[in-house]
Amino acid sequence: MFSSSAVPPRIKPAGLAWWTAGLLALSALPLAAIIFCFNPATHSFYPVCQFHQLTGWNCPSCGATRGLYALLHGHLLTALRDNALLVAALVLLPLRGVWWLRNNSAGAAGSFFPAVWLWPLLAGLLVFGVLRNLPAFAFLSPA
Amino acid sequence: MSYQIIGHDGRTYGPATAEQVREWISQGRAIRQTPVLPAGATCWSVLGLLPEFAPLFSNPPPFAPTTPPPGVPPGVTPGPLPTSSLATAGLVFGIISLLCCCCCGGFPFNILGLIFSLIALVQISEHPDRYSGRPQAIVGIVLSAASFLIFLASIASDHSQVILNSHNF
């Protein structure tokens, strides 16, 4: 009935996503090197959180730089204490990356971060931002 | 039923079964706009317009038709309206500005979030039959505005030399 050998070419080359992921990972290296070498708790050239400086409260990303420093030095518990969301993101993002790349090479088109995920993400950020400033959840704030 | 399609390279493929065309779509070899000639048809169409393949393209088309397709009674919109991309962008920038208040006072992102969300609101209220996404736009405005206020306040306090605590990051 039909000639089975002729298959139309892929519209987006499958390898492109892998190159993008590799370039992103490479560009994060110098940043990680700076944070690894200079402790954010003792070096003042790092940007200061405007929200924290104004209000004294911790914003959802407060402690992320210190957490990254702790993580790069292998102190997982300190990193969790500094910013648990950072650790969660660093676990979840690569997982999503692998999942997405596998979908992508199987041809299932889809965005890396579907727009409907924005709502749970925002809710999570706000809940985390409020909780970590309550005395009962002080363990969510940097020591 | 068999179909001929024109691939991305401009060559004609098929005749192929519906099953095979579905496989090509799932592998990214054929898309909504791919020309298709069903066996027995007299003129070419595109895959997204054939009812047997249209459900495979779940994302809404970038330009929703202003008039409902024939067969749909007026006043009844076929399926949910696409979310305005500007509203989504506004919400994304709002969330980024929330996260970046830590490093840069959320600076370029809160302005971008405000601009995108405001344009989205105007777009949605002008074409309520074509776009949805008002909640995204409003939340985008709230987040960006809050971040922008913090940014302004931090500049003001820097100027008045009030540094509450110089050892926080």
Side-chain angles (χ1 to χ4, degrees):
Chain A
M1 171 82 201
F2 50 83
S3 50
S4 57
S5 60
V7 168
R10 285 179 192 278
I11 287 161
K12 266 192 254 176
L16 198 68
W18 290 99
W19 281 105
T20 317
L23 277 177
L24 276 177
L26 268 183
S27 61
L29 276 180
L31 218 60
I34 292 174
I35 294 175
F36 177 83
C37 295
F38 303 101
N39 186 350
T42 52
H43 288 81
S44 56
F45 62 83
Y46 289 99
V48 178
C49 180
Q50 312 292 338
F51 179 78
H52 185 98
Q53 211 170 33
L54 279 170
T55 62
W57 295 324
N58 283 312
C59 82
S61 43
C62 273
T65 326
R66 281 165 287 176
L68 217 48
Y69 176 84
L71 215 51
L72 288 171
H73 287 264
H75 307 304
L76 180 61
L77 284 179
T78 316
L80 274 171
R81 178 77 204 264
D82 283 337
N83 195 319
L85 272 191
L86 170 83
V87 180
L90 286 178
V91 171
L92 291 176
L93 277 180
L95 284 179
R96 171 61 184 156
V98 171
W99 177 25
W100 181 76
L101 283 172
R102 285 184 56 188
N103 282 351
N104 207 58
S105 36
S111 107
F112 180 81
F113 196 93
V116 284
W117 292 6
L118 288 172
W119 293 118
L121 172 74
L122 178 60
L125 286 175
L126 291 178
V127 168
F128 180 70
V130 170
L131 281 187
R132 66 190 322 203
N133 288 299
L134 299 178
F137 293 91
F139 59 90
L140 290 174
S141 279
Chain B
M1 191 67 171
S2 68
Y3 304 86
Q4 279 182 289
I5 70 162
I6 297 181
H8 194 50
D9 54 355
R11 292 170 58 194
T12 308
Y13 292 88
T17 61
E19 197 44 52
Q20 200 170 11
V21 173
R22 279 197 194 93
E23 198 183 315
W24 289 347
I25 293 170
S26 76
Q27 290 170 346
R29 301 176 191 279
I31 53 175
R32 189 200 306 280
Q33 296 91 341
T34 297
V36 58
L37 180 69
T42 49
C43 63
W44 287 79
S45 180
V46 293
L47 286 176
L49 288 179
L50 296 187
E52 57 266 48
F53 300 118
L56 297 176
F57 307 105
S58 53
N59 300 333
F63 299 103
T66 46
T67 52
V72 177
V76 176
T77 42
L81 291 172
T83 304
S84 155
S85 335
L86 291 168
T88 307
L91 180 58
V92 168
F93 282 125
I95 292 177
I96 294 178
S97 69
L98 180 74
L99 284 174
C100 285
C101 74
C102 232
C103 52
C104 46
F107 173 57
F109 306 108
N110 45 31
I111 300 284
L112 289 170
L114 273 178
I115 294 173
F116 277 97
S117 306
L118 285 172
I119 298 177
L121 263 192
V122 172
Q123 184 193 44
I124 293 166
S125 42
E126 277 182 2
H127 305 281
D129 52 332
R130 286 173 61 177
Y131 300 104
S132 64
R134 195 181 292 270
Q136 282 91 333
I138 292 173
V139 173
I141 289 176
V142 170
L143 291 175
S144 307
S147 165
F148 189 61
L149 284 180
I150 292 171
F151 174 67
L152 286 185
S154 72
I155 290 179
S157 73
D158 277 353
H159 274 282
S160 54
Q161 302 287 312
V162 177
I163 295 167
L164 297 172
N165 195 337
S166 57
H167 268 286
N168 294 303
F169 300 98

